[in-house]
Amino acid sequence: MIEDKRVTEAAPKKEQRRKFQAIRGTRDLLPPGTALWNHVEETAHAVFGTFGFGEMRPPIFEPTELFARAVGGDTDIVSKEMYSFAESPEPNDPKAVFVKKALDLGLGVEVDDFEKAFGELSSLATISLRPEATASVCRAYIEHNMQQLPQPQKLYYMGPMFRRERPQKGRYRQFYQIGAEVLGGVDAPAIDAEVIEMVMTFFDKLKLPGVQLEINSIGHAADNCRRGYVALLKSELEKVKDKLGADSQRRIEANPLRVLDSKLEHEQPIIATLPKIADHLCDDCKTHYAAVKRELELRGVFYKENWRLVRGLDYYMRTTFEITAQGLGSQNAVCGGGRYDGLVELLGGPPTKGIGFAIGEDRLILSLQEAKDAALATGNQPPFVYIAWMGANAYAAAVRAAKNLRAAGIRVELPPVEQKFGKALERASKLGAQYALILGDNEVAEGTWTLKTLADGTQQKFTEPHLLDFLKKL
Ligand code: HAM
């Protein structure tokens, strides 16, 4: 048990008084900034709803194995960036009982002992904070037999993700994504285009500045398609290996496609001469890609093709896309996504088509904040009234007024202790109130209340019901 030092020691030692700070790469989102987060999320609910998507809320931690299998054990995300920990056994779990008994007897406990006793060492699996949510959505699709529901299932989610990356502007260890997935049904190119159209509509609604969509097709895993291309790419990379940096050299072996992602200046001219995947797609993937482009054009969605767009997760095939926005510096990808037919099957489900995206909400907000006009568009704020009351009778009326005004959706600040009117008005301005409702014993006796507009100092007198009507109409 953790001892509470406040109880056992009279005066806390200096080190116990140390101030805590949010862990590196995490941050507090505070008011009034959170209003913009809410506006963004409400806009997502509204826009995604018009495309027929329903919200789901998967858990924040899952078995590590789920992410390893879905995202890929060799990816940076899984091999370096996940927060994983061993699940401690429940108190009456046979393994826990076994360990306790052994320790009580003064015996050491070896991993082998578990295996001998239970033959189920694998169940001592680790769990991980989710670094992304596509794996969870596919897991849920399988777990809840969603393939038996009308297809495709169109789902979206929003919430925190966790990756142990080096923090910088637009890159955090706890960050937020708003994502959507279409699972099941067919792999018609119209679905790819509609999913992209949905993100672009959302960004448009938010007036996100400088939005640019890049698309690519990375084909499918077959010798006459991506596998053939990767083999060719690898052999071409071997020829220029000496000119590449250490990271790219390592990737030639582990994942040659990822070399195309390199941002290193001196590697750019070398990469420019490498074979391009578009020239090595199989006929079906080529046809699919051409149709996706036509479907985007039909929807008036502007795109740029980028043959180097390969993405950092293993589950993609065919369509991949990324969207960048203004004001973000090097971390300017505000959305990434693509098609992942086969992922559900890889996780133990039936053969299922899939496509989706995730928006980096932190980056989206940063970009909106840089473009000040858009940041101001946080929806209609309710009127804000400060109740300046003085006197016992006035206080009772003030409490009643606060209740009625709040019930009508008006923001009310009711000072908990009496203040002189001058002080009250000063505080009302400081808090940014638009109105001060002046309630003294005289006002209560007369039954007419005074509403002061703080911006210009004008005053109007109202009876209680008229006041409500007036504020509700604002
Ligand atoms: P992702 O490209 O890894 O894709 O992440 C999507 C977006 O999340 C990025 O474009 C970026 O805006 C944001 N993001 C990623 N890491 C961080 C970070 N450390 N700090 C701040 N923002 C970050 C996925 O996660 C896929 N699950 C997307 C997907 C859904 N593909 C198909 N369906």
Side-chain angles (χ1 to χ4, degrees), residues 23-322:
I23 287 171
R24 190 168 134 79
T26 72
R27 60 208 181 117
D28 300 303
L29 306 172
L30 302 169
T34 39
L36 184 56
W37 286 75
N38 285 326
H39 171 62
V40 161
E41 288 164 16
E42 279 155 21
T43 307
H45 290 300
V47 172
F48 294 2
T50 64
F51 282 79
F53 281 68
E55 187 189 5
M56 75 164 283
R57 300 188 186 199
I60 277 171
F61 50 86
E62 298 264 11
T64 302
E65 177 61 18
L66 172 69
F67 301 116
R69 222 191 297 167
V71 177
D74 289 335
T75 58
D76 284 353
I77 295 176
V78 170
S79 66
K80 300 188 204 152
E81 297 168 1
M82 282 209 299
Y83 288 93
S84 302
F85 38 94
E87 168 86 293
S88 41
E90 310 264 337
N92 53 1
D93 181 307
K95 291 185 287 294
V97 173
F98 175 81
V99 173
K100 189 171 180 308
K101 275 218 174 105
L103 292 176
D104 286 350
L105 291 170
L107 302 171
V109 185
E110 298 288 331
V111 164
D112 279 356
D113 299 336
F114 280 122
E115 264 181 314
K116 271 194 226 117
F118 301 103
E120 53 171 34
L121 190 64
S122 60
S123 71
L124 290 173
T126 63
I127 56 181
S128 296
L129 298 184
R130 62 183 186 191
E132 61 107 54
T134 308
S136 302
V137 176
C138 291
R139 195 255 319 124
Y141 180 86
I142 300 165
E143 186 172 337
H144 303 290
N145 288 320
M146 290 192 208
Q147 72 276 8
Q148 284 167 13
L149 301 172
Q151 300 296 298
Q153 282 290 298
K154 302 200 266 186
L155 301 162
Y156 74 95
Y157 51 86
M158 46 184 82
M161 309 288 155
F162 305 86
R163 296 184 194 174
R164 200 163 188 280
E165 295 191 83
R166 194 172 48 77
Q168 65 179 90
K169 180 182 173 189
R171 189 157 76 192
Y172 310 99
R173 291 181 168 182
Q174 173 171 338
F175 61 99
Y176 294 79
Q177 282 188 344
I178 300 177
E181 317 288 349
V182 179
L183 284 162
V186 294
D187 60 357
I191 297 181
D192 305 44
E194 195 178 75
V195 161
I196 295 173
E197 182 191 7
M198 182 168 90
V199 201
M200 298 301 268
T201 307
F202 171 57
F203 286 163
D204 209 41
K205 259 248 145 77
L206 292 172
K207 301 193 175 68
L208 185 66
V211 176
Q212 282 206 12
L213 163 70
E214 294 193 344
I215 61 166
N216 191 22
S217 173
I218 58 164
H220 78 297
D223 289 343
N224 67 342
C225 200
R226 187 172 61 230
R227 252 201 314 264
Y229 169 72
V230 170
L232 174 69
L233 182 67
K234 194 168 169 186
S235 72
E236 290 301 311
L237 284 168
E238 297 286 0
K239 292 182 197 160
V240 292
K241 187 170 178 175
D242 295 345
K243 296 185 197 146
L244 298 173
D247 273 349
S248 292
Q249 290 196 5
R250 214 172 321 111
R251 283 177 171 156
I252 295 178
E253 275 315 308
N255 190 349
L257 273 183
R258 294 285 289 161
V259 176
L260 304 181
D261 244 6
S262 160
K263 304 277 184 304
L264 286 183
E265 192 98 14
H266 83 275
E267 292 184 346
Q268 303 309 309
I270 307 167
I271 293 172
T273 64
L274 294 169
K276 303 190 172 33
I277 193 158
D279 302 327
H280 300 272
L281 294 177
C282 70
D283 286 346
D284 282 353
C285 286
K286 224 177 248 172
T287 308
H288 191 272
Y289 186 36
V292 169
K293 287 187 276 185
R294 267 200 316 278
E295 289 281 351
L296 285 173
E297 283 151 28
L298 189 64
R299 288 165 171 75
V301 175
F302 291 101
Y303 61 84
K304 207 174 110 194
E305 287 182 77
N306 176 2
W307 68 277
R308 290 174 53 178
L309 187 64
V310 293
R311 313 265 306 127
L313 302 89
D314 281 356
Y315 48 61
Y316 292 113
M317 51 96 66
R318 290 192 170 166
T319 312
T320 54
F321 59 95
E322 260 177 27

Side-chain angles (χ1 to χ4, degrees), residues 25 27 37 163 165-177 326-335 359-367 369-370:
R27 60 208 181 117
W37 286 75
R163 296 184 194 174
E165 295 191 83
R166 194 172 48 77
Q168 65 179 90
K169 180 182 173 189
R171 189 157 76 192
Y172 310 99
R173 291 181 168 182
Q174 173 171 338
F175 61 99
Y176 294 79
Q177 282 188 344
Q326 213 169 284
L328 292 171
S330 65
Q331 302 303 311
N332 64 349
V334 76
C335 174
I359 294 161
E361 193 177 356
D362 307 72
R363 294 183 191 177
L364 172 57
I365 300 272
L366 266 178
S367 183
Q369 281 166 339
E370 302 268 314

